[in-house]
Amino acid sequence: MSTLRDLAEEHTQLRPADIDHLHRIAGDWQLLSDLSFADLLLWVPVDGDGTFLCVAQVRPTTAPTAYLDDQVGRIVGGPEVAHLEVAYRQGRIWREGDPVWYGDVPARHEAIPVRLRAADGESGEVVAVVGRDTNLSTARTPSQLELNYLTTADDLAQMTADGTFPPPRHPGETTSAPRVGDGLVRLDANGKVTYASPNAQSAYRRLGYASHLVGEDLAKLHRRLASDPLEGTDAANGVLAALRGEAPPRREIDARGATMLTRSLPLMPAGVPIGALVLVRDITEVRRRDRALITKDATIREIHHRVKNNLQTVAALLRLQARRVSMPEARVALEESVRRVASIALVHETLSMSSDEAVEFDGIVDRVASAATEVAATEVSVGMRRKGSFGVLPAEIATSLVMVLNELLLNAVEHGFPPAGEGGAAGPEGGEAPQVVVTAHRFRKQLHVSVADNGRGLPAEFDAERGGRLGLQIVRALVTGELRGSIELRPGAAGGTEAVLVVPLARGERG
């Protein structure tokens, strides 16, 4: 299905500013649809030939739809769009005419011109028409709630024709809440409540206000109810701003352990301020879950912080023991264990600063690579370089992978560039600078990694399956076991040695 922008750009001469305004209409018109108990269809003229194209549609959540089929993309003309033509050409709301039938469904047609106000605030031109089509099959005497809904809908329809609805959206706000069914309060020009829906009354009751809202000054009531005086003043100022014709950001009110979200909208049909519309929603459970998640995240981060501290303590004890050991082989083994423990601690340190169980792995690789060149037992100065990006990895992959890379990097430095007198030249041939390159890229939910050096290469008698010291045994065990991947050690294309890893990411890959 083509988007609103695609359809408008393909079939009309609308300007980018016009299309942006239509997007604002479609982003906020569920409110008008629910208040009207009607389907809304957004029609745009096609090249001035008397036909109109439907670029968006919304169905009411408060009443049955008039259309079983989606109308988006439909182009109509002739008598069927006469009401749209009147609204578009004359710039007024069209309500005349008899009911029409869509199959077995009788419907009432209305047409609301969509006007884009000029930059100086003056009345602008009509750029589209909103068709408001009401299913009449369940018509009956409306209740007080329905009458207030319809009255408010007519005010917003006129504001759409004036170009003052919808209001500008504030940064970071979504259109998900509150909605008409969550709770609706209508105010007069003095800020007094003239109507409150049952759900709105219930929401205020949870805040501790048990009386009827009708007749109350809502701004003053918000100040009285809020547990935090600053929050109450903020909520009250939102109501007052709407009464002045502004559209303030949404506000929250906390009182007696409950939380309510409010959205205040000005009502000023034909430019005359007549009051405000306040939508409210009880979000107590939502905020309770948010607080629980924040507490859980903080607990997880604290656990990672303590694990990191414990690992660093273990590394310090091993380092202290290594200094007291006289046997060179034992000292080397302890120092290798220190490096392995420290690499794991690095992952937990990163997780302790993250809000979830995933880490940005590039920074960890860079730190491990830097440490490998500093602690490796070699006389050669080896450069480290990373190509590509590992991206964000889940903790269960990162912890094992950092140990694998730590071992491979140390092996590349120590055995690819041994000290002079230990089996060949200390550096690469051809005058190239000694270096190790770590390459990473993602392909089909797999992470492909290579660690390549330009050193002396693998010994002739090296057995890739069975050979190798403890470090390579650890690498093979982690790659095939914990990471469920594969590893290959082979001669590099331009000399030296290359270790190639393939690790599946389907368990928790995040892109």
Side-chain angles (χ1 to χ4, degrees):
M1 175 63 67
S2 299
T3 65
L4 185 158
R5 186 175 300 276
D6 293 336
L7 290 168
E9 290 177 347
E10 180 180 355
H11 296 280
T12 75
Q13 301 298 319
L14 292 175
R15 301 163 300 181
D18 301 333
I19 298 175
D20 289 341
H21 185 63
L22 299 186
H23 268 289
R24 287 193 294 273
I25 291 282
D28 225 347
W29 66 349
Q30 185 69 59
L31 169 64
L32 179 57
S33 176
D34 290 344
L35 289 171
S36 302
F37 305 99
D39 291 75
L40 300 183
L41 282 69
L42 186 56
W43 297 95
V44 294
V46 179
D47 299 329
D49 61 358
T51 60
F52 285 81
L53 165 69
C54 180
V55 295
Q57 177 182 3
V58 63
R59 292 179 171 88
T61 62
T62 52
T65 181
Y67 298 96
L68 296 180
D69 298 325
D70 198 319
Q71 303 296 302
V72 175
R74 182 174 172 225
I75 298 178
V76 295
E80 191 175 353
V81 297
H83 62 301
L84 303 178
E85 187 73 22
V86 170
Y88 181 73
R89 299 296 178 190
Q90 300 181 14
R92 67 176 179 87
I93 297 177
W94 184 93
R95 292 192 175 95
E96 304 87 21
D98 298 324
V100 296
W101 289 80
Y102 297 110
D104 296 331
V105 178
R108 181 177 64 247
H109 266 335
E110 295 177 78
I112 305 165
V114 175
R115 181 173 276 106
L116 176 62
R117 296 189 72 82
D120 57 4
E122 295 297 322
S123 178
E125 62 186 77
V126 176
V127 296
V129 178
V130 170
R132 181 164 62 170
D133 301 334
T134 306
N135 185 332
L136 299 178
S137 61
T138 58
R140 55 186 174 77
T141 303
S143 65
Q144 184 184 12
L145 178 145
E146 292 167 336
L147 288 173
N148 277 278
Y149 276 20
L150 292 170
T151 300
T152 305
D154 287 342
D155 292 334
L156 293 181
Q158 184 59 55
M159 291 172 63
T160 301
D162 299 336
T164 56
F165 181 85
R169 187 175 301 170
H170 296 275
E173 284 192 344
T174 64
T175 58
S176 59
R179 288 188 169 188
V180 169
D182 297 321
L184 178 145
V185 179
R186 184 174 172 121
L187 309 179
D188 62 18
N190 297 317
K192 299 292 182 67
V193 177
T194 59
Y195 175 76
S197 70
N199 284 346
Q201 190 74 53
S202 297
Y204 278 92
R205 187 171 292 113
R206 290 204 67 177
L207 295 180
Y209 185 76
S211 302
H212 289 292
L213 285 168
V214 175
E216 281 288 336
D217 186 313
L218 197 65
K220 293 180 180 179
L221 179 61
H222 284 177
R223 286 194 181 95
R224 295 201 309 269
L225 291 178
S227 302
D228 183 346
L230 292 177
E231 188 180 81
T233 300
D234 196 34
N237 289 340
V239 173
L240 297 175
L243 292 171
R244 294 193 301 268
E246 303 170 15
R250 296 163 198 189
R251 317 284 188 178
E252 290 186 13
I253 303 176
D254 289 288
R256 304 183 72 172
T259 305
M260 186 174 72
L261 177 66
T262 68
R263 182 189 184 192
S264 302
L265 293 169
L267 293 177
M268 43 189 304
V272 180
I274 62 171
L277 174 68
V278 181
L279 299 172
V280 301
R281 181 187 179 191
D282 182 355
I283 58 170
T284 304
E285 291 305 309
V286 175
R287 289 293 172 260
R288 183 189 63 78
R289 289 194 295 269
D290 288 346
R291 287 190 290 269
L293 287 173
I294 291 173
T295 302
K296 178 183 176 183
D297 289 342
T299 302
I300 291 173
R301 288 196 297 271
E302 178 62 21
I303 290 172
H304 284 301
H305 180 71
R306 294 188 182 187
V307 170
K308 182 263 297 183
N309 288 344
N310 290 340
L311 289 172
Q312 289 179 337
T313 300
V314 171
L317 292 174
L318 291 172
R319 191 177 296 111
L320 180 62
Q321 185 64 43
R323 292 172 183 168
R324 294 175 177 269
V325 172
S326 57
M327 295 178 60
E329 296 84 354
R331 186 181 301 113
V332 170
L334 288 172
E335 289 173 349
E336 289 179 350
S337 297
V338 168
R339 292 194 291 269
R340 289 165 184 145
V341 172
S343 66
I344 300 174
L346 188 58
V347 175
H348 286 281
E349 179 183 1
T350 306
L351 287 168
S352 70
M353 297 181 289
S354 174
S355 60
D356 55 19
E357 286 293 284
V359 293
E360 183 63 52
F361 202 69
D362 289 345
I364 294 177
V365 173
D366 294 343
R367 291 174 64 179
V368 169
S370 177
T373 60
E374 294 175 0
V375 304
T378 181
E379 299 172 358
V380 182
S381 177
V382 181
M384 287 284 183
R385 189 159 58 95
R386 174 173 56 82
K387 294 172 60 178
S389 176
F390 288 81
V392 178
L393 296 179
E396 63 267 22
I397 291 179
T399 303
S400 299
L401 186 58
V402 74
M403 284 193 65
V404 170
L405 292 176
N406 180 63
E407 297 295 336
L408 292 176
L409 289 167
L410 285 171
N411 276 342
V413 174
E414 292 183 348
H415 301 295
F417 311 97
E422 290 190 14
E429 299 179 358
E432 294 184 21
Q435 70 171 345
V436 178
V437 180
V438 181
T439 305
H441 72 277
R442 298 184 178 215
F443 180 70
R444 292 181 179 176
K445 293 193 177 296
Q446 291 180 330
L447 178 64
H448 294 250
V449 183
S450 73
V451 179
D453 65 71
N454 60 351
R456 64 175 180 177
L458 294 169
E461 68 280 3
F462 181 79
D463 186 339
E465 295 299 325
R466 299 183 178 83
R469 303 170 56 195
L470 176 62
L472 286 180
Q473 295 174 17
I474 291 174
V475 166
R476 278 193 289 268
L478 288 173
V479 171
T480 59
E482 295 296 322
L483 296 175
R484 294 183 292 181
S486 63
I487 180 170
E488 178 187 1
L489 291 174
R490 64 193 184 192
T497 304
E498 182 179 24
V500 179
L501 301 171
V502 178
V503 178
L505 294 172
R507 287 179 289 169
E509 188 268 336
R510 292 181 50 135

